[in-house]
Amino acid sequence: MISLLRSFSWQELRHHPWRNAAAVVAVMLGVALAFSVQLINASALDEFSSAVRSVNGQPDLELRATQGSFDEAVFARVARQAQVTLASPVLEVPTLAMAGERRLPLRVVGVDALVLPSIAPALMPRPAEGSDRLALLAPGHVFLNAAARKSLGESATNVQLRVGTQWQTLNVAGQVAAGGAALAVMDIGAAQDLFERGGQLTRIDLRLAPGADRAVFIRSLRQSPGWPAGIQIAEPGDAAQRVSNLSRAYRVNLTVLALVALFTGAFLVFSVLALSVAKRAQQFALLGVLGVTPRERLRLVLAESIVLGVIGSAAGIALGTALAQFALQVLGGDLGGGYFEGVAPTLRWSTGAAVLYGALGVLAAGVGGWWPARAAQALPEAQTLKGLGSAPPRGSAHGVALLLIAAGVALALAPAVFGIPIAAYLSVGFLLVGGIAALPWLIAVLYDRLAPLFARRVLPLLAIERARRMRGTAAVAVSGVVASLSLAVALTVMVASFRDSVTRWLDVVLPADLYVRSAAGGSSTSEQAAFSPTFVQSLAQLPGVTRTGTLRTRALLLDPSRPNVTLISRSLEEHAGQSLPLLGAALPVPAGQIGIYVSEAMVELYGAEPGTVFEPLARAWSTGTAGERSTPPVFFVAGVWRDYIRQFGAITMDARDFERLSGERNVSDIALWLAPGTHTGTVEQAVRTLASRELGAGEPIEIASVGQIRATSLRIFDRSFAVTYWLQAVAIGIGLFGIAASFSAQVLARRKEFGLLAHLGFTRAQVLAIVAGEGAAWTAIGAVAGLVLGLAVSVVLVHVVNPQSFHWTMDLLVPWARLLALCAAVLAAGTVTAWLAGRAAAGHDAVMAVKEDW
């Protein structure tokens, strides 16, 4: 008997390769997308961690400035501690290097070469052949890592570095083994002199004595008299952990998005096996007569689904590996997220991840095959052998559907878990399953009211009556369309809402006509500000320029376990709401306090509520060895603004306050407002001429109009979300294939019914019209349910998943025209699909099928 069952399943899989291939492809795509995302992000994160370890070495503790640098007197103070056996001073300066006509970001690391072998051997300079072995202690010499040599040329003997507003030429004396982004190593004293950072450090690496208690040592440092408040003490792995935290929500969202294909693939497996069971219904009934139990029939169909899942998962793992390798070579490992800038990872294949995602593919196929397996188990043998069809599927209980939907709503209100919206994703799943379970009830509600309207029209009446009376069958048939269409609607609404919010956000943050940026100061890897107040005043006096505004950014490390916060110094209007996209009105700043405006992420991550004093910024601002200022600044949170760039927080203050506190007046970005009718090209040329005269011919500046910046920003946005459109198309295609498979299964089981209609005088065209009408009626239900469920899911994505993942909010925008066009296209495709599936049912075989019982 077992051999008979194996042969039965094998013949089905072997004789219908194309139909089964569709289910395999669905599982393969889902597994491949999810596995490739896992490999790409794991490889990038692992490469970044390796680069951090090679550059930072393996100290026990790191002392870092919360912003900028700190006095090197801290080094002497810490090195004298009894628990410290080794202290390594470091000065890191992000700058630019000249490579032909290009300017590349480069990080210069000043080190004490005498202590490097013990604490950071990867940074130990290795002199080139013929170079002076003491070049590492001499000024004017640098040692490049592999990334820098590749960018600047393997045979380069010198390199030009941006120092302030000038370019300095240094000799390339050798190389270092450190990986990661481009960097140059030089003696710390030479680096301090070159960049005019005399007596300044950015980091101190510490090696503690054996048996020293880290927690006690950290506490003793922080509580010691006069300890600078602007220095953070961190574990050596915190840098990699910060990037892991930074990219975690991005990685999870990409993975969930990729699993959408696997979720809809389960419905395709269901449709394929439902078709297979319907076509072999009499064979299953015959097996039952021959002694095969209903449970054995269930196991038989489940085994077929598992086989399809195993084949699809194996192919998906192979395809996912190839996709990951291609993406790492083309995209650099960040998939558009920008979290691993400067990292060129190699593929790190993971057996554990392959097994996990392969198991998910098999599980999806097994879930998809469960309902058809139950249908095969429940076949009435005698009735099926006579060709009278199988028992109609039972509709889901209303209570179960309502319970699932209620659970989905409750989960949507739950907070994130470790910064990941796990409950929100479960909410989406419960809403989808609950909505699909409620389809029979929805069919009854709609068509019980529509049926009387078609009482005098035979063909529409037959189509609607079948939908009414076979509501369970109809619900099963359109479940794939509901699942895929609802996800497509949700993604469409989410992307449209995000794009509209970004567009309106750009309107506020880009109020000027032209923007001038220093390529040295405006780079994401540099905080050098090359534009002096004199240059800004000269720009304001150019013909056609009515006024100017300035901007400068600085990185702040408020929490060692989190990524840097960005401090933005910019020219604010008298009313901050005119310059910032504030949420609500700005609060009046109390006398003697400094008003700051924080992004939404600052409220959630640091508790910077409007109307409160933000003490972490005051602590970060107080640097030096002698303790804090006599009157430390008090920062008052005057408002919250939307920021769609800096996911982990930004603080804005007026440029005048920043200059008064820091003494720094140079800026990196200048906004220009032009007089009405002024030609932007004329002003751009005047700006370049002025920059060449006052800053030097080699000064790298970038000039862009507000229209160019908007167009570039939106083009990047559309490219970043292009994958969602592809996933929508895949999901809709899978749903329509499910309709085709379901209708094929139905018409095969109803051959005698269609043959009887032919004997009663119905023409072939009329029979096809009935089938197409049923397809339209059933797909219409799927379109309505998919639209409603999609809107509900979009609310969760926009108002729950997005804020919990990225700490910013957006306004919900429903693109009704696009959604109605999508539903109309699905309705038309479902009708045509049903008509094509019914063509075989209206032929000669259907007529002859009626004679089988004569």
Side-chain angles (χ1 to χ4, degrees), residues 48 64-68 92 94 202 232 234 238-239 241-243 245-246 339 524-525 527 553-567 599 601-602 605-606 620 643 645-651:
F48 182 86
R64 290 183 175 271
T66 54
Q67 60 170 328
E92 295 185 10
T202 56
Q232 295 281 3
D238 284 347
Q241 184 62 38
R242 284 196 299 270
V243 172
N245 293 340
L246 176 67
Y339 297 107
S524 63
T525 60
E527 293 182 11
T553 62
R554 173 181 286 188
L556 296 175
L557 182 61
L558 301 182
D559 185 342
S561 65
R562 291 190 176 122
N564 287 331
V565 170
T566 303
L567 175 65
S599 67
M602 296 297 300
L605 298 177
Y606 295 92
D643 183 13
I645 296 179
R646 304 162 191 90
Q647 176 186 337
F648 273 77
I651 303 172

Side-chain angles (χ1 to χ4, degrees), residues 340-371:
F340 306 104
E341 186 176 0
V343 175
T346 56
L347 182 67
R348 311 289 173 90
W349 204 84
S350 171
T351 303
V355 172
L356 173 62
Y357 285 98
L360 286 177
V362 174
L363 177 63
V367 171
W370 174 254
W371 191 294

Side-chain angles (χ1 to χ4, degrees), residues 379-461:
L379 278 176
E381 298 165 2
Q383 183 178 352
T384 303
L385 282 175
K386 294 181 178 179
L388 299 178
S390 59
R394 293 174 295 177
S396 301
H398 301 165
V400 174
L402 292 176
L403 183 62
L404 290 172
I405 294 174
V409 174
L411 287 169
L413 303 176
V417 180
F418 302 111
I420 302 298
I422 296 176
Y425 289 130
L426 292 175
S427 169
V428 170
F430 275 93
L431 288 175
L432 289 176
V433 176
I436 292 173
L439 282 177
W441 171 81
L442 178 62
I443 292 172
V445 169
L446 290 180
Y447 287 127
D448 283 351
R449 288 159 179 77
L450 288 178
L453 302 179
F454 297 93
R456 297 182 181 277
R457 304 183 63 181
V458 176
L459 297 184
L461 179 64

Side-chain angles (χ1 to χ4, degrees), residues 265-344:
F267 285 98
L268 186 52
V269 172
F270 157 74
S271 298
V272 167
L273 289 178
L275 172 61
S276 174
V277 169
K279 186 175 182 180
R280 295 180 294 165
Q282 291 185 331
Q283 299 175 27
F284 278 115
L286 180 59
L287 288 176
V289 173
L290 294 177
V292 176
T293 65
R295 181 175 295 274
E296 288 175 333
R297 295 201 299 266
L298 180 140
R299 292 175 180 172
L300 180 65
V301 177
L302 280 180
E304 293 177 5
S305 68
I306 296 300
V307 170
L308 295 177
V310 169
I311 297 174
S313 296
I317 295 298
L319 178 60
T321 304
L323 288 175
Q325 181 64 46
F326 175 77
L328 289 175
Q329 294 177 353
V330 175
L331 302 177
D334 64 358
L335 286 179
Y339 297 107
F340 306 104
E341 186 176 0
V343 175

Side-chain angles (χ1 to χ4, degrees), residues 179-193:
L183 63 85
V185 174
M186 63 188 306
D187 178 69
I188 187 169
Q192 289 174 330
D193 294 338

Side-chain angles (χ1 to χ4, degrees), residues 27-28 104 173 210 421 465 500 527 549 715 726 747:
V27 175
M28 178 186 70
L104 304 173
E465 282 297 325
D500 180 71
E527 293 182 11
R715 184 167 60 251
W726 186 83
V747 298

